[in-house]
Amino acid sequence: MNYKKIAVIGLGYIGLPTACMFATNGIRVLGVDVNVSVINTLNNGGIHLEEYGLQQKFTDAFQSGMLKVSVNLEDADAYIIAVPTPFYDDKKADMQYVASAAESILPHLRKGNLVVLESTSPPQTTSVFVKSILEKSGLKAGEDFLLAYSPERVLPGQILRELVENARVIGGINQESAEAGRDLYRTFVKGEIILTDSTTAEMVKLMENTYRDVNIAIANEFSRLTDRFNIDIQEAIRIANLHPRVKILNPGPGVGGHCISVDPWFLVEAAPDLAKLIRTAREVNDSQPYFVLASLKNHFGELKGKRICVLGLTFKPDVDDVRESPAVEIVKMLLNEGAIVSAYEPHKSGVIENIQTSPTLEDALQAVELIVVLVAHTVFKSLSPGVIKAQTKSSIGIFDTVHIIGENWDEEGFSVYRLGNGK
Ligand code: SAJ
């Protein structure tokens, strides 16, 4: 199939890089977003999110004239839906953005078009939910137009590379739809393209992130056990992982971001009677910030009035994204306990989720009694005890939830407690 012009609906962390990849590989792209300020930023040549290499990629695509952006959709040969699928407070998937994206295609849908959903979605979203909306056009899915699901599987921070190199799953509502999807993505995907049905593709995506969530949950639960039994979690995991068939991930302050902390709930919602382990893993990871707080009090005493410097607020290292961040949750808990918190986040400044951050590390360290490390940013890994001591004037307490503070800090007199180390 020959795609001369495609439309990408939703220009966030996935839609914008995807639109740029197509546009820099010879396909005319219209990028659409409902957010006027996003479209204005893009039309002025800037981008509204931080992702390695994306500004340059966007500039290339935009200046070549192959990528245009607008709040209004136009006719195209193929439509890619890459809008968010958040959840409501009761952990039920919020499909309103997918629904309105599909509705917006209706007036433009023609015979021979291809529609691909990329947004992470509960099983059968493509073959039932999206199909029924698109068929309001009077055209029949799988016959008049083709419909597929292709999950994004890229890691924030490495999106441009992984879009090209990762294996790509394309699930069609029929074989012809899957093959049409493959022809489209072959434009820039160098990794293997695996064809399947749309519900399998939806399930694969949810299984990948759920697997990771469960693995981190067990690491977090192990950290609670090692704390109780007076052993060191890092040492125990390192030794266990020497077994050729064991690969335990790292415990930490909790699981955040917009993928792993959200997606498993789609399976719990779809089949609550069956997804019991998945629910428990989510609950373990969601409660990890409470364990961090309890541990902190246990090792460093009452928090009321204590001056605490917090290092890192993002959901994981070396990104600017604070969605569902456990670090933010922990800071809010510290403030609730009456602690006086100065937070430093090198990848984002100003007020973050109602938390006033310090402009510099030096600022954040002014007169503090305790440092709490919540994110393993690369810049924090290179901090040295000498530099910190020059600011704090003495060897204060450090609570390290991400295991980046080496033993040299203890030797320098800092009183370090590492999460899950009961030794
Ligand atoms: N985390 C731990 N311990 C670990 C690894 C991660 O506590 O050993 C925490 C992180 O700090 C973070 C959270 O888990 O708070 C999630 O981070 P992540 O790096 O595991 O994953 P995401 O959410 O950035 O990206 C995931 C990826 N999925 C998998 O690796 C299976 C990515 O490939 C997906 O494309 C992405 O979700 C998505 O968009 O679904």
Side-chain angles (χ1 to χ4, degrees), residues 154-176:
V154 290
L155 198 68
Q158 303 182 27
I159 291 179
L160 290 178
R161 185 174 62 75
E162 291 206 356
L163 271 178
V164 175
E165 290 175 9
N166 284 5
R168 180 130 210 151
V169 186
I170 301 181
I173 60 154
N174 59 359
Q175 183 66 17
E176 210 188 332

Side-chain angles (χ1 to χ4, degrees), residues 91-256:
K91 313 290 187 201
K92 300 253 191 301
D94 175 354
M95 301 306 289
Q96 61 164 316
Y97 302 110
V98 172
S100 53
E103 297 274 353
S104 75
I105 297 172
L106 279 178
H108 304 279
L109 196 61
R110 304 280 178 268
K111 280 197 175 186
N113 283 168
L114 166 68
V115 179
V116 183
L117 176 66
E118 283 206 18
S119 313
T120 305
S121 302
Q124 298 177 331
T125 298
T126 310
S127 61
V128 178
F129 185 71
V130 174
K131 178 172 174 271
S132 69
I133 295 174
L134 294 174
E135 286 190 336
K136 288 199 266 177
S137 62
L139 299 174
K140 204 157 169 34
E143 291 176 20
D144 298 323
F145 68 94
L146 303 170
L147 178 58
Y149 179 75
S150 183
E152 60 80 13
R153 303 157 97 194
V154 290
L155 198 68
Q158 303 182 27
I159 291 179
L160 290 178
R161 185 174 62 75
E162 291 206 356
L163 271 178
V164 175
E165 290 175 9
N166 284 5
R168 180 130 210 151
V169 186
I170 301 181
I173 60 154
N174 59 359
Q175 183 66 17
E176 210 188 332
S177 296
E179 286 170 6
R182 178 194 54 204
D183 294 348
L184 176 62
Y185 284 94
R186 219 2 128 210
T187 310
F188 67 83
V189 172
K190 301 245 182 319
E192 188 185 352
I193 295 185
I194 302 112
L195 302 191
T196 183
D197 64 86
S198 58
T199 309
T200 302
E202 289 159 350
M203 189 71 190
V204 164
K205 167 71 194 190
L206 295 173
M207 281 165 54
E208 290 166 356
N209 280 356
T210 300
Y211 164 78
R212 199 162 165 82
D213 196 43
V214 173
N215 194 332
I216 299 169
I218 202 154
N220 283 336
E221 195 158 282
F222 285 153
S223 74
R224 302 174 190 189
L225 292 166
T226 52
D227 187 59
R228 174 159 316 167
F229 297 126
N230 302 330
I231 49 179
D232 173 2
I233 185 66
Q234 287 298 99
E235 187 186 3
I237 289 180
R238 186 181 58 78
I239 298 171
N241 280 350
L242 293 175
H243 187 291
R245 285 174 295 284
V246 173
K247 178 74 190 88
I248 303 164
L249 289 172
N250 296 312
V255 168

